Each structure stands twice: as structure tokens, then as C-alpha cells.
Amino acid sequence: MRGIRPRCQHVRGEGRHKLREEHMASGTGCLILSGMPGAGKSTVAPLVAAHHPRGAHISGDVLSYMVVKGRASPLGDGEESQRQLRLCFRNMAALADNFAESGVFPVIEYPVTRPLLDLLVSELRCRPLLFVTLAPPLEECRRRNAARPAPQRVAYDIAPYYRAMRGELEGTGWWLDSSGLTPQETAALIAAEARERALLAVD
């Protein structure tokens, strides 16, 4: 299984040039956008995609809700929840590869843990892979979540997930504190600098 080099922040020097050569040979690459509820993922992801001549936003939530009967919550610990979560990640990767092979830059949007990021990387064929975590402070995520319309609001305490995500993935890719930026500014910054700051070194 292909995986991510531990605690890789971004690639420098010869490694970056090698990945750029692979990008030229294999297509457009792919950006994975992660973060806690309230971080701004679902707003920023399509804006990032729109910065490319041809770009696509792949929402893990949208794919998950394509299961109209028998859907299991991705937050569950049961076998069916985990099976459907893995299915969602395989579908995100398949869509991203199809878009990339056709010259459309895919932006995958979903909160990931280390095991889920490893799964996604192992499923994706397109290269290079860029990984950005929107990382405003926990209190800012809570404030933004509380300001959402009730149907979109996350009801559970995000603090344990926030701590777990930092513990597992901080230092991997580009952790971007977007608390002082508008969604448009965040997307423009990611589009301009992700290839320099968010490259994943993969096996």
C-alpha cells in the first residue's frame, strides 16, 4: 500500500522538482482539503476549484448522502459505518482520478484522520497530491458552527476530534490558520501557494 512519509510538511529541493516532473507526466494532480466543522471547508473547496481553468469540487458529504436507504453515520464505530466510510473514500478517489485524467483539477473536501488520509492516498493514482488542513483555533470553529443555519449545524462536541486531528496530522501538508481571512482570500491563497507548501511525499 502506498503511504505518506510520517510528519511530512512539504517537499523541498530535488524532491519538489521530481514531483513537478511526475505532475507533468501524469495529469493535473489533486488537492485534499480537510479541517474541523466550522473551519470553512465546504465554502472554500469550490472556490479553490474555480481558480483553475477546469476544476471540480468533490464533497465527501455529498457522496455519503447518495446512499438514500441504509445510510450509516460516518461517526459511528460499527462495522457498517466503517464500511460505508471506506466506500465513500474509494469513491472520492475514483472521481478525483477520473477528473484528473481528463485535465480537470479535483479538490476533495472531507475531514480526515491519519488512517483515512493513508487510505485516500493509497486509492488515488493521480499525482502530485496536495494536502491542506484549514486550522482556525477551536473557539473560532465553534463560533462559526454556532452561526450556521440549524440544519447545517454540527451538534456534537468537536473538541476531541480537533485534538485528535492535530495529534495525528499536524506537520503533514499545509496547516492554514484561516481565521483572519475571508473564504475568497483563503481560496486565493491556497490556489497560489499549495504546490509550494502542501505537497505530500508519498511512497
Side-chain angles (χ1 to χ4, degrees):
M1 177 182 288
R2 293 170 291 180
I4 305 164
R5 296 174 191 169
R7 301 298 179 192
C8 172
Q9 182 171 11
H10 56 272
V11 182
R12 298 183 176 88
E14 293 181 1
R16 177 183 294 151
H17 294 309
K18 181 180 179 182
L19 279 174
R20 280 179 176 161
E21 289 171 3
E22 291 174 356
H23 159 63
M24 295 301 292
S26 62
T28 63
C30 175
L31 187 142
I32 303 162
L33 186 66
S34 183
M36 280 287 99
K41 301 180 302 299
S42 60
T43 302
V44 170
L47 296 175
V48 174
H51 273 270
H52 295 264
R54 291 180 295 277
H57 169 212
I58 301 171
S59 168
D61 282 341
V62 170
L63 288 177
S64 172
Y65 278 99
M66 291 180 76
V67 180
V68 297
K69 185 174 182 180
R71 179 181 180 272
S73 169
L75 299 175
D77 294 325
E79 181 179 345
E80 183 61 17
S81 290
Q82 294 305 302
R83 189 183 74 84
Q84 290 189 24
L85 184 59
R86 291 191 297 270
L87 174 63
C88 178
F89 271 69
R90 290 196 300 272
N91 285 336
M92 286 193 293
L95 268 176
D97 283 333
N98 287 339
F99 279 126
E101 288 167 9
S102 296
V104 179
F105 184 78
V107 178
I108 293 174
E109 173 244 320
Y110 202 81
V112 300
T113 59
R114 167 64 66 176
L116 290 175
L117 181 59
D118 287 343
L119 172 61
L120 193 54
V121 168
S122 73
E123 294 286 338
L124 284 163
R125 299 189 308 273
C126 57
R127 295 291 187 270
L129 299 181
L130 314 175
F131 180 58
V132 178
T133 300
L134 297 183
L138 176 59
E139 288 308 313
E140 177 65 12
C141 289
R142 283 174 166 161
R143 185 193 66 79
R144 293 180 183 180
N145 181 54
R148 289 170 162 174
Q152 300 175 19
R153 201 173 300 148
V154 171
Y156 57 84
D157 181 13
I158 64 173
Y161 298 94
Y162 189 92
R163 289 191 291 268
M165 186 177 288
R166 281 200 173 273
E168 292 180 1
L169 288 169
E170 191 165 23
T172 300
W174 180 13
W175 281 65
L176 173 59
D177 181 353
S178 56
S179 55
L181 302 172
T182 66
Q184 292 76 15
E185 290 168 341
T186 303
L189 182 61
I190 292 171
E193 299 188 16
R195 290 193 184 273
E196 297 294 326
R197 304 181 67 172
L199 282 169
L200 286 179
V202 295
D203 297 331

